[in-house]
Amino acid sequence: KKKTVSFSTMPNDRKINSTAACISFMLEGCELKKVRSNSRMYSRFFVLDADMRSVRWEPSKKDSEKAKIEIKSVKEVRVGKKTPILRSNGLSDQFPDECAFSIIYGDNYESLDLVASSADVVSAWVMGLRYLVSYGKHTPEAPGTGHPSLRTSWISSVFDLADLEKSGRIPVSRAVQLIKALNPGMKTSTIELKFKELQKASERPGAEVACDLFVEAYCELCTRPEIFFLLVQFSSNKEYLGLKDLLMFLEVEQGMEGVTEEKCLEIVGKYEPSKEGREKGYLAIDGFTRYLLSADCSIFDPQHRKVCQDMAQPLSHYYISSAHSACLLEDNFWGRSDISGYISALGLGCRSIELVLWDGPEGEPVVYTSPSAASCVPFRTVVGLIDQHAFAASAYPLILCLVVRCSAPQQRLAAQCLRKTLGEKLYLEPPNPAASYLPSPEQLKGRILIKGKKLPPGCEDSEGEVSDEEEGWELARRLGQEDREAPEGGGPRRVRLSRELSELVSLCQAVPFQDFESSRRGQRYWEMCSFSEVEAGRFANECPAELVSYNKRFLSRVYPSPMRIDASNMNPQDFWKCGCQMVAMNYQTPGLMMDLNAGWFRQNGACGYVLRPAIMREEVSYFSANAKDSLPGVPAQLLHLKVISGQNLPKPKGSGAKGEVVEPYVCAEIHGIPADCAEHRTKTALQSGDNPVFDESLEFQINLPELAVLRFVVLDDDYIGDEFIAQYTIPFECLQPGYRHVPLQSLAGEPLPHATLFVHVAITDRRGGGKGHRRGLAGRRGRRVREYTSTKATGIKAIDEVFRTATQPLREATDLRENVQNALVSFKELCGLTPAANMKQCILTVAAWLLHSDSAPSVTLNLAEQYPPMEAQGPIPDLLRKVLTAYETVSAVPLGLGSSGDA
């Protein structure tokens, strides 16, 4: 794969960490490319006048008094390609979105479109201009002079507390520890180096530092420019967020509903470090950073941290977290058995565990999965462990999959052990023949089900023969026992089964699979089949619709191929997409496949059960797992993902030879049905240290959101081979919109302390792809064929006639949805916003234009109407007229069709 790099640094590695620094940078000036309406670009030197009232550029053919823009005439500063000129086809691919910005100015809302050398330069100009626009003529005394800021006062008070001798100086070692305590995750060497740099620059070397130098070091080390930029966007005074600012940020950008000023005050009280800020309700940059890093602002929707799905559906309607060789710590044939594997799997919410029973050397059965006879665990020890930990992480039913390889006498001992140890937890009630589906997880709470073979109904003996499954025989061959029960002339293997063990099986009776037609006619709901990975894969490819239909009523279990002697894992998504409930994973083997499994089962309170998509549960529905495009009746969505920066990234394991240099990039992967599987990567951040800036936007189309999983992978770019740094996997349905931190994990799924990715998430509807989503309606530019919902004939005349009459209303509803989305796209573009924006952001943008206008055009919004009209009072500029016309189109579409009833 071709690799790209990013040169995103400020000149001379200069770090912008305050509004004063932005304005100082603008006063010095820099080269920017000016974009004209003919799509040509010209390099010009842009500088802020010394009186801070105008921005000038040179050289210019215009008179020097005309080659400038007065700050008071600026209506808005837009980041990215947000004007018609920057969006034009001739320019769209010549520079990245984050390097462009536009100044909207004058009564006619003209635009000065500019392209910078890096996103950092854009941030400096945009932050500075927004500050100047807010403060106008009062600006000159704002930065650098006057009273100390809220932040400076707080940092100084921290210094004073550490100044035990009250000498105005503290040892460098104490200063280092103080900053490290305030910012966990920051390297000691980084802090020490910063103090050395500042002491050298100020010509004050020594073992102690004064307060002003401590404040300077803290601000340079602990200010994240991307968060400061965000604060400036929403702050009324550009230094901190007031309660109204914070409320606006939470509602508009984070998508939170029902936010009150009381809630905002609670957030300030929890995260603002300064006493003055807490008392006045101000959230400054340090408190804002702490809030964005907190669990309260996690990318993972907190609603999904507890059981949030309907648990009263039949057991066959859920995916069930399943382990294959849970007791194995290493690989299948060189590993060693150890009971801690069971504790780990159950602690992670696993609800189905495989137990392979073998004859033990001392007359009682044992469990082992390696070929070493010495590497085994007594069955009674394992059962005791299961009894102790079965419901520690989840109250929902645990399924023990017994694969019997021991003699009948030892089977009797195993049955006695299960009854005695598990007692009332063991589910022994016979299935109800009058029912059609299995009981629900809710009904089976706290119970343990045994999955295994049963003796035929007519068998009266204490033991009998039953057909065997293939699972487990690969290990038997390696133990030299493969021919012990081999039938004459081939055919299915037969094994002896004791009545005592048979009677423990109730709702999960293992039966051999013949074909889908036979199952439809004769399989009973409490009978289930196990498929090898190869067999299940063949069905998934050749007859996916039949496999989905089969799994609506019956449980199915997929186990790994015996060829996986290294205990590697199959891709669970290959079988989840076909509705297979139990995909047995090797929990001891980390990597992509276990990341998907662990991330997937996190979404329902990590209880081990996840409700399958409705399209896979409903009796009257058709779904093919190999669909290559949008699905009928399922609203396709767009995921707009901006990877902004990384924090405290660790070095890859075993990378000592590279020294301190880590050059990371981020891969974002979507795993789901084939139509959704995709991968995009950011540029490589060169020489970025532990805190790289990526600032790159990625987009994914999701056709079946309920089955999609997003995985972030951070890799170190290396010519020899890219090395793994960290990952995080999250179900699409658990994503929270807005600015979020991704808590990174190791290859084994363990949290990496303080290692995060800072991202922005927005989810919108694809144009022509389904109904409105709670996170906002929007679309994507580009012409596409309009997709109309069609009906499929059932062959039953009365039903087909009813659905035939629905064709026209469905068509009208599709037109309505499509027209509204098209109108919304135009409205957002005219407002200078992205397709991911919501209506509230658009209205606020228009309001900001009106507030910054000298001529003060008046626009009214009548909130009493169902679709509030926005009307101009008197003459208005041309751009504003276009915006109001676009808004009128958005609200007029539903009004125009609303009277037609069903539409």
Side-chain angles (χ1 to χ4, degrees):
K1 185 185 291 183
K2 184 180 178 182
K3 294 177 181 173
T4 55
V5 296
S6 167
F7 300 95
S8 180
T9 56
M10 283 294 291
N12 303 318
D13 276 343
R14 183 173 182 172
K15 191 169 184 180
I16 298 294
N17 54 28
S18 68
T19 310
C22 293
I23 293 174
S24 176
F25 177 72
M26 293 164 64
L27 286 166
E28 292 174 20
C30 72
E31 189 175 280
L32 301 170
K33 286 186 170 68
K34 185 170 178 280
V35 185
R36 291 189 178 172
S37 56
N38 59 7
S39 296
R40 291 184 179 177
M41 294 193 289
Y42 300 89
S43 290
R44 298 288 184 263
F45 189 83
F46 283 77
V47 64
L48 176 67
D49 273 355
D51 62 4
M52 294 188 245
R53 287 187 169 87
S54 302
V55 173
R56 298 179 183 272
W57 60 92
E58 57 184 34
S60 173
K61 293 180 181 178
K62 297 180 181 178
D63 181 271
S64 61
E65 285 304 305
K66 291 184 178 179
K68 71 172 186 178
I69 292 177
E70 291 187 356
I71 297 297
K72 66 179 182 181
S73 72
V74 175
K75 310 295 183 190
E76 182 190 0
V77 185
R78 298 179 184 175
V79 184
K81 303 169 188 174
K82 303 285 179 57
T83 63
I85 291 174
L86 290 178
R87 274 195 295 256
S88 65
N89 293 331
L91 288 172
S92 57
D93 298 326
Q94 291 187 30
F95 49 87
D97 190 74
E98 62 269 16
C99 287
F101 70 104
S102 302
I103 303 172
I104 311 300
Y105 66 98
D107 291 339
N108 292 321
Y109 293 81
E110 298 171 68
S111 70
L112 174 62
D113 300 299
L114 302 167
V115 178
S117 58
S118 75
D120 292 332
V121 173
V122 171
S123 297
W125 277 95
V126 172
M127 276 194 278
L129 284 167
R130 285 176 174 170
Y131 184 94
L132 294 169
V133 168
S134 296
Y135 280 95
K137 62 184 180 182
H138 303 295
T139 303
E141 59 192 25
T145 59
H147 298 291
S149 69
L150 194 69
R151 187 188 201 194
T152 304
S153 299
W154 167 67
I155 302 168
S156 299
S157 69
V158 171
F159 179 89
D160 291 341
L161 287 173
D163 182 11
L164 303 176
E165 296 79 16
K166 303 303 174 190
S167 63
R169 303 176 71 82
I170 62 173
V172 171
S173 58
R174 192 184 302 167
V176 169
Q177 290 306 311
L178 199 53
I179 290 181
K180 193 170 174 62
L182 293 169
N183 281 269
M186 186 171 288
K187 288 182 179 177
T188 302
S189 57
T190 303
I191 306 171
E192 289 173 342
L193 184 62
K194 178 55 66 178
F195 276 118
K196 285 180 182 177
E197 286 177 5
L198 293 177
Q199 284 180 321
K200 184 178 179 181
S202 61
E203 297 181 350
R204 287 187 287 174
E208 293 184 325
V209 293
C211 183
D212 61 330
L213 199 123
F214 177 80
V215 170
E216 188 178 355
Y218 179 89
C219 289
E220 289 199 19
L221 286 166
C222 305
T223 305
R224 286 174 48 189
E226 71 274 25
I227 291 183
F228 184 69
F229 186 35
L230 187 59
L231 180 140
V232 168
Q233 279 184 267
F234 284 88
S235 170
S236 302
N237 74 347
K238 310 305 174 194
E239 291 295 340
Y240 54 78
L241 296 173
L243 294 181
K244 284 186 168 56
D245 299 331
L246 182 57
L247 189 146
M248 191 69 70
F249 171 74
L250 297 176
E251 281 192 343
V252 173
E253 203 57 64
Q254 303 297 86
M256 290 175 64
E257 297 176 357
V259 186
T260 61
E261 286 197 13
E262 287 72 24
K263 173 65 178 174
C264 294
L265 197 57
E266 184 184 316
I267 290 171
V268 171
K270 189 173 180 181
Y271 296 105
E272 173 55 39
S274 71
K275 184 180 178 183
E276 183 187 354
R278 292 193 298 272
E279 289 174 350
K280 294 182 177 178
Y282 297 157
L283 193 66
I285 181 65
D286 297 288
F288 190 42
T289 303
R290 288 182 183 188
Y291 171 65
L292 289 174
L293 280 165
S294 73
D296 289 343
C297 205
S298 169
I299 191 171
F300 191 92
D301 190 337
Q303 291 183 2
H304 290 270
R305 295 192 187 281
K306 56 184 184 294
V307 175
C308 56
Q309 296 176 347
D310 178 8
M311 301 303 287
Q313 299 279 330
L315 207 62
S316 60
H317 286 184
Y318 297 84
Y319 296 112
I320 303 171
S321 180
S322 305
H324 180 231
S325 303
C327 69
L328 203 63
L329 291 187
E330 296 168 30
D331 61 60
N332 273 346
F333 298 110
W334 309 108
R336 58 187 181 84
S337 297
D338 188 289
I339 57 174
S340 64
Y342 289 110
I343 300 173
S344 174
L346 291 169
L348 292 170
C350 178
R351 295 291 83 196
S352 169
I353 284 182
E354 175 197 48
L355 299 176
V356 186
L357 276 62
W358 301 89
D359 279 329
E362 297 178 5
E364 63 173 304
V366 295
V367 173
Y368 64 95
T369 51
S370 89
S372 167
S375 180
C376 61
V377 182
F379 179 68
R380 57 182 164 76
T381 303
V382 175
V383 175
L385 195 76
I386 289 171
D387 178 57
Q388 186 180 349
H389 296 276
F391 303 106
S394 170
Y396 292 99
L398 174 67
I399 301 171
L400 298 184
C401 301
L402 297 188
V403 180
V404 179
R405 296 282 175 263
C406 61
S407 60
Q410 294 206 12
Q411 290 176 32
R412 294 187 187 99
L413 290 175
Q416 291 167 16
C417 176
L418 286 166
R419 281 182 182 272
K420 182 180 178 182
T421 308
L422 301 180
E424 292 186 357
K425 294 176 186 172
L426 208 56
Y427 186 89
L428 300 173
E429 298 170 30
N432 179 6
S436 299
Y437 287 93
L438 289 162
S440 69
E442 189 64 39
Q443 291 171 305
L444 296 170
K445 246 182 176 180
R447 307 303 292 272
I448 296 176
L449 281 59
I450 304 295
K451 178 242 172 193
K453 293 285 182 178
K454 278 188 79 73
L455 291 173
C459 179
E460 301 291 338
D461 299 332
S462 62
E463 60 183 71
E465 273 198 352
V466 293
S467 62
D468 192 22
E469 299 173 89
E470 281 299 309
E471 191 172 4
W473 280 111
E474 181 68 21
L475 180 59
R477 281 191 282 275
R478 294 183 179 254
L479 287 164
Q481 301 177 7
E482 59 176 327
D483 297 323
R484 191 180 63 175
E485 303 289 344
E488 293 182 12
R493 291 180 187 273
R494 308 290 292 179
V495 294
R496 302 294 292 178
L497 180 67
S498 74
R499 176 166 298 281
E500 288 89 339
L501 205 56
S502 171
E503 287 174 348
L504 297 184
V505 178
S506 173
L507 294 178
C508 297
Q509 181 181 342
V511 297
F513 179 79
Q514 295 176 334
D515 56 66
F516 291 115
E517 183 59 33
S518 301
S519 297
R520 188 164 62 250
R521 287 202 311 265
Q523 188 171 335
R524 293 168 294 187
Y525 72 84
W526 62 84
E527 296 175 334
M528 64 175 288
C529 298
S530 289
F531 302 93
S532 73
E533 173 188 353
V534 175
E535 185 182 21
R538 179 165 55 82
F539 290 145
N541 289 324
E542 295 176 5
C543 41
E546 286 89 340
L547 188 53
V548 170
S549 182
Y550 172 86
N551 285 319
K552 287 180 181 179
R553 191 175 175 207
F554 308 115
L555 284 176
S556 65
R557 180 174 180 272
V558 182
Y559 58 88
S561 164
M563 300 305 291
R564 293 184 180 274
I565 60 173
D566 59 349
S568 59
N569 276 305
M570 51 192 165
N571 187 341
Q573 284 277 2
D574 290 343
F575 308 104
W576 289 340
K577 70 182 183 183
C578 296
C580 296
Q581 297 89 347
M582 301 160 68
V583 182
M585 305 293 287
N586 289 309
Y587 270 57
Q588 73 276 15
T589 308
L592 165 62
M593 305 314 170
M594 265 313 294
D595 291 345
L596 295 177
N597 191 77
W600 179 252
F601 284 105
R602 214 176 274 138
Q603 68 181 289
N604 191 26
C607 74
Y609 285 83
V610 169
L611 189 63
R612 294 186 307 166
I615 200 170
M616 292 186 180
R617 306 191 314 263
E618 295 164 351
E619 279 296 330
V620 184
S621 67
Y622 174 82
F623 169 70
S624 173
N626 294 333
K628 295 292 190 292
D629 201 354
S630 57
L631 304 170
V634 180
Q637 305 204 309
L638 287 178
L639 170 62
H640 308 265
L641 184 65
K642 186 171 187 180
V643 182
I644 302 168
S645 60
Q647 292 74 46
N648 304 311
L649 299 183
K651 289 170 62 179
K653 285 190 175 179
S655 63
K658 289 184 66 177
E660 294 296 317
V661 180
V662 177
E663 297 181 339
Y665 66 92
V666 179
C667 264
E669 308 165 349
I670 293 289
H671 298 266
I673 61 172
D676 291 344
C677 291
E679 175 186 316
H680 296 308
R681 57 158 287 177
T682 67
K683 295 183 288 290
T684 298
L686 293 178
Q687 304 288 328
S688 58
D690 306 328
N691 303 293
V693 174
F694 302 105
D695 211 15
E696 194 155 347
S697 299
L698 313 172
E699 188 178 285
F700 298 90
Q701 178 174 310
I702 315 293
N703 295 288
L704 185 55
E706 288 176 280
L707 206 59
V709 175
L710 170 64
R711 181 173 183 253
F712 295 93
V713 193
V714 186
L715 297 163
D716 184 17
D717 199 339
D718 191 12
Y719 285 108
I720 300 172
D722 296 350
E723 294 183 274
F724 177 90
I725 295 176
Q727 63 83 26
Y728 183 74
T729 308
I730 179 172
F732 180 81
E733 294 286 290
C734 297
L735 285 171
Q736 287 215 95
Y739 288 92
R740 307 286 175 181
H741 279 91
V742 178
L744 294 173
Q745 298 177 342
S746 69
L747 189 64
E750 297 162 347
L752 293 170
H754 314 298
T756 56
L757 288 177
F758 188 43
V759 301
H760 182 265
V761 176
I763 299 169
T764 65
D765 286 328
R766 190 197 68 180
R767 281 174 85 181
K771 62 186 179 181
H773 190 278
R774 66 184 175 85
R775 293 170 184 166
L777 273 167
R780 172 168 68 177
R781 284 193 69 80
R783 295 178 64 82
R784 57 180 290 117
V785 177
R786 189 162 289 193
E787 300 168 0
Y788 291 104
T789 302
S790 59
T791 56
K792 192 174 182 180
T794 63
I796 304 170
K797 187 177 179 182
I799 293 176
D800 289 343
E801 283 296 324
V802 170
F803 278 95
R804 194 172 291 118
T805 61
T807 303
Q808 187 56 33
L810 283 170
R811 194 177 181 88
E812 290 174 1
T814 301
D815 286 335
L816 169 60
R817 184 192 65 220
E818 186 86 347
N819 292 340
V820 167
Q821 290 181 340
N822 288 340
L824 272 168
V825 170
S826 299
F827 180 51
K828 290 172 185 177
E829 286 187 350
L830 285 166
C831 290
L833 299 172
T834 67
N838 56 44
M839 185 61 81
K840 183 175 284 187
Q841 288 168 313
C842 295
I843 299 297
L844 287 171
T845 299
V846 175
W849 291 353
L850 297 170
L851 288 171
H852 291 133
S853 176
D854 291 335
S855 54
S858 176
V859 175
T860 59
L861 188 66
N862 186 354
L863 297 175
E865 300 285 338
Q866 182 182 5
Y867 297 99
M870 195 156 46
E871 298 173 352
Q873 307 297 314
I876 55 172
D878 186 52
L879 177 63
L880 198 53
R881 182 176 291 105
K882 287 179 181 178
V883 168
L884 296 185
T885 302
Y887 177 83
E888 187 180 346
T889 307
V890 172
S891 57
V893 171
L895 285 172
L897 286 172
S899 58
S900 63
D902 293 338

